[in-house]
Amino acid sequence: MFTKILIANRGEIACRVAASCARLAIKTVAVYSDADAASKHVAACGEAVHIGGSAPKDSYLRWEKIIAAAKATGAQAIHPGYGFLSENEEFAQACANAGLVFIGPPPSAIQSMGLKAESKRLMEAANVPLVPGYHGVNQDAALLQAEADAIGYPVLIKASAGGGGKGMRAVDKAEDFAAALASCKREAINSFGDDAVLIEKYVQRPRHIEIQVFGDTFGNYVYLFERDCSVQRRHQKVLEEAPAPGMTEHLRRQMGEAAVAAARAVKYVGAGTVEFIVEQPGGYDHPEAMRFYFMEMNTRLQVEHPVTEAITGQDLVEWQLRVASGEPLPCKQEDLKIHGHAIEARICAENPDNNFLPATGTLHVYGLPVCTTFERADHAVRVDSGVREFDPISPFYDSMVAKLIVHGATREEALARLDTALAQTHIVGLATNVQFLRHVTTSASFAQAQLDTALIPREAAVLFNQEKVGLPMATAAMVADMLVREHALAQHATVHGWIDPWAQRDGWRSHGASNREFKLEFHGEPHTALFTRLHDGGLQLTVDGHTAALRYAQVAGGALDVRYGDLRATVHLYKKGEVAHVFTAQGATQIVAIDALAHAGEAQTEGGRLTAPMPGKVVSFAVKAGDVVKKGQALAVMEAMKMEHTIAAPADGTVAELLFAPGDQVTEGAELLKLALVE
Ligand code: ADP
Ligand code: ADP
Ligand code: MG
């Protein structure tokens, strides 16, 4: 076995590989770009070498730099992860030339499977079933059109060198073929530098089912069963599971043996995935009628490999390391068994409600479900993540933030566990697909395993623009959270012997009943709320004119049990400036609340002097000298006790002077700015 390897990747997969290495006492070397200097994968490895600028072409794709880093640090082998250099046969060859082991298949196997058309010619020879289509060398447009006509529409034009869902065009009728061909070729030459295409019958309502295979240097092969990756957007996987629902023993063996035949045909070594498109002519209820066709082979570890690990109890990275170091496969086909059911959800920084637009930003809150650590035993909930709280999601790399993998005795159990784990995933700072994934998980099609690649468009009505936490609960949660914070501040003030005007603000208690008004913003719409403390101490909340009793209690894990009228929820709430991010078991939402009373800040202001209500840091000013401001308008944000507090104008006026700069520490009572009040 190796004693030290270099990991030529970043993010979650680099951390994932490092975890197995740590368990096997193999030292690790990370490489990193400028943007990744402080990233988690660097911390996860024993050593790290800077290899260049943030763009992949300046760092993670510079293989001469990576090989030099491996040589300089005494690594014996390089693990390429997925993406980047993992399917680059020149890199694999360059490693060998430098006396380093490339942890992956031989360059010849990468090359044979690298082009979809060439691989299909090879698979045809190995008797692996293919999608009816044309994958010849002749690229004459008239010939391609004739082939498409012969296959019958709809057809799919695919860039032979394509990947990641790019370079594909579905064509419904003969008249559209020429234009689609031209546009596909344009995208192919731009994205992959090669405009060769192949044509396939467009399979209706297909499933994507792939087989994990493994080979060693002694010519042994096994398959580690299948993964169903039918839930896709833009031909990219969103949820993956193993085993495939409805899979029969007979079909599993047929597909497994076809995948092994594919691997054998190219003298494959290491981890690989043979992807099949599966036709369901009998519909969802007749899985025994499923027919499978070879689509492509991915000559690397796949993003979704953890579901296979969960059902087989094997560590596929350990297998890769053993095979690459010259050991035989750790087990034989008959030793492999399927245990239970596993599902992976890809958590991405993107906005599903805006056409999955990728998002960048900082992970201000990054709360994950409680996991069993990555171990080979039953990992009921596993998170593979390449980021930590406060890390940025930069525009340089892909938008995947983490993978959430659940395991259960049955598919139902795994589904329920996935929904709970997603509910416990609290991300604040950028848009994510977490709630969308919950909607997919609980949709009728997914729950009933009616799987095909059109699941997302078919269920669109329940997947997009869903709101599971309404305005009343969001407002109640926001008010309850505010009361809890103020109570904590009041106690803090007492302990430290301060005279804290913020704490004194709940002085209404001594005056019996009192009211407090809020201006709300929910989904871009304005609303109002009125909070009332009754003479008997009871709490009442009126939202848009509807009044009900409010009750709350602090419960374990920093959550609040909030009851408002007939509604009840366990709430986790995070405030970022004026925005409250509300997470409940039902869903998540955001609400903006401007507290008219807090903004009046009566204790801090005398004749236009605006003072700090507590010792802390000035985060920002929302105004500059000369600005005309309205009563209640936000003027500055202060931070104290890890919370942000907005300082608002007590009355209409004009900002005369700012007395501090953002970042300054201020003492309690320090004058922050001067306001010229309108009399
Ligand atoms: P497929 O190629 O069949 O879509 P995957 O879904 O496993 O297989 O991977 C999607 C594609 O995007 C692959 O080409 C993979 O190399 C790349 N990819 C996915 N996630 C990442 C990532 N986090 N970093 C780099 N490349 C990635
Ligand atoms: P990539 O290299 O981008 O992963 P694939 O050939 O693996 O390309 O195809 C990606 C996805 O496109 C598949 O998972 C499937 O959803 C869809 N697809 C591919 N071929 C067909 C086909 N012949 N008919 C219908 N859908 C297809
Ligand atoms: Mg693919």
Side-chain angles (χ1 to χ4, degrees), residues 116 131 156 158 162-166 168 200-204 206-208 229-230 232 235-237 275-277 295-296 298 300 453:
K116 292 186 206 282
V131 192
L156 193 62
K158 275 190 195 176
K166 272 184 146 176
M168 290 199 274
E200 285 178 1
K201 173 182 167 199
Y202 192 83
V203 182
Q204 303 289 325
R207 283 169 72 173
H208 172 122
C229 313
S230 300
Q232 304 183 346
H235 301 297
Q236 283 185 300
K237 299 157 186 166
E275 297 189 328
F276 295 100
I277 190 117
M295 210 163 27
E296 65 165 343
N298 291 327
R300 54 175 160 85
T453 59

Side-chain angles (χ1 to χ4, degrees), residues 202-260:
Y202 192 83
V203 182
Q204 303 289 325
R205 299 202 152 203
R207 283 169 72 173
H208 172 122
I209 300 180
E210 59 187 32
I211 304 283
Q212 175 72 56
V213 292
F214 241 100
D216 65 17
T217 48
F218 305 95
N220 301 309
Y221 292 93
V222 295
Y223 59 90
L224 291 98
F225 315 114
E226 77 278 5
R227 293 183 287 257
D228 191 311
C229 313
S230 300
V231 183
Q232 304 183 346
R233 56 142 171 79
R234 294 203 201 107
H235 301 297
Q236 283 185 300
K237 299 157 186 166
V238 174
L239 285 160
E240 303 101 345
E241 60 186 301
M247 178 59 89
T248 62
E249 272 311 318
H250 177 69
L251 187 61
R252 175 173 293 132
R253 190 165 328 107
Q254 274 190 312
M255 291 180 74
E257 285 169 4
V260 164

Side-chain angles (χ1 to χ4, degrees), residues 111-131 133-139 143-144 158 160-161 194 196-200 262 265-266 294-297:
Q111 186 173 21
S112 303
M113 290 298 188
L115 294 175
K116 292 186 206 282
E118 190 187 330
S119 72
K120 292 184 89 168
R121 294 195 284 270
L122 276 167
M123 292 304 105
E124 199 164 36
N127 286 322
V128 177
L130 300 182
V131 192
Y134 171 80
H135 44 264
V137 232
N138 190 334
Q139 293 286 306
L143 174 104
L144 293 173
K158 275 190 195 176
S160 184
D194 175 351
V197 299
L198 58 97
I199 301 167
E200 285 178 1
V266 295
F294 173 86
M295 210 163 27
E296 65 165 343
M297 181 170 187

Side-chain angles (χ1 to χ4, degrees), residues 524-679:
E525 298 290 322
H527 299 272
T528 56
L530 180 69
F531 167 73
T532 310
R533 194 184 290 271
L534 304 171
H535 286 285
D536 65 2
L539 310 179
Q540 220 176 49
L541 183 63
T542 304
V543 182
D544 281 348
H546 300 282
T547 301
L550 172 69
R551 287 200 281 164
Y552 66 91
Q554 282 177 283
V555 293
L560 289 177
D561 174 14
V562 179
R563 293 193 229 183
Y564 178 49
D566 297 337
L567 303 172
R568 183 170 189 171
T570 300
V571 174
H572 286 264
L573 191 145
Y574 308 89
K575 272 202 93 178
K576 180 87 187 73
E578 302 258 78
V579 187
H581 297 259
V582 179
F583 294 86
T584 76
Q586 290 75 40
T589 197
Q590 296 170 21
I591 185 166
V592 182
I594 299 167
D595 177 353
L597 179 64
H599 284 194
E602 62 266 282
Q604 302 99 289
T605 57
E606 279 162 47
R609 287 182 77 236
L610 214 80
T611 58
M614 67 267 172
K617 194 174 85 176
V618 178
V619 176
S620 62
F621 283 102
V623 292
K624 55 185 188 319
D627 282 1
V628 174
V629 297
K630 287 267 171 228
K631 177 178 175 173
Q633 183 175 336
L635 301 178
V637 175
M638 280 192 63
E639 187 185 281
M641 296 173 66
K642 297 188 188 154
M643 289 189 270
E644 288 192 353
H645 306 277
T646 303
I647 315 289
D652 294 356
T654 305
V655 178
E657 193 182 355
L658 303 183
L659 300 168
F660 286 95
D664 287 351
Q665 291 289 334
V666 296
T667 53
E668 184 200 340
E671 193 174 358
L672 295 174
L673 55 83
K674 283 193 195 303
L675 262 188
L677 299 182
V678 177
E679 292 310 321

